[in-house]
Amino acid sequence: LTGSATDSETGIAQVLVTVRQDSSGLYFDGTSFSSTDPVPVPAAVNAGNNTWALPLSAGVLSEGPYSVTQQAVDFASNVQA
């Protein structure tokens, strides 16, 4: 999964991604879809081009569709609303 996030003042410090498997209602916990509660998983942030990435293997994404949300945090600790 990839996306973008920008902050013109301090820059993006962290992006947290939550992935829900719609068919089961379970959330990705960083390894598998086994959590009944949302689990924000840290994504890799590339500040040079304002992108983030959360690598997921094809084996993990076997039964879609999925719902994905992301929340960015800047270096001033402001959290995306």
Side-chain angles (χ1 to χ4, degrees), residues 5-79:
T6 60
D7 180 271
S8 62
E9 295 193 22
T10 64
I12 299 299
Q14 183 178 39
V15 173
L16 301 171
V17 181
T18 302
V19 185
R20 180 181 180 270
Q21 185 179 49
D22 294 343
S23 61
S24 68
L26 296 175
Y27 291 88
F28 185 66
D29 63 5
T31 305
S32 64
F33 288 91
S34 59
S35 178
T36 56
D37 296 315
V39 179
V41 179
V45 175
N46 182 335
N49 64 6
N50 298 318
T51 61
W52 59 264
L54 180 65
L56 298 173
S57 69
V60 170
L61 298 174
S62 60
E63 296 179 31
Y66 301 91
S67 297
V68 179
T69 60
Q70 61 96 34
Q71 188 171 53
V73 181
D74 70 10
F75 282 105
S77 298
N78 297 308
V79 179

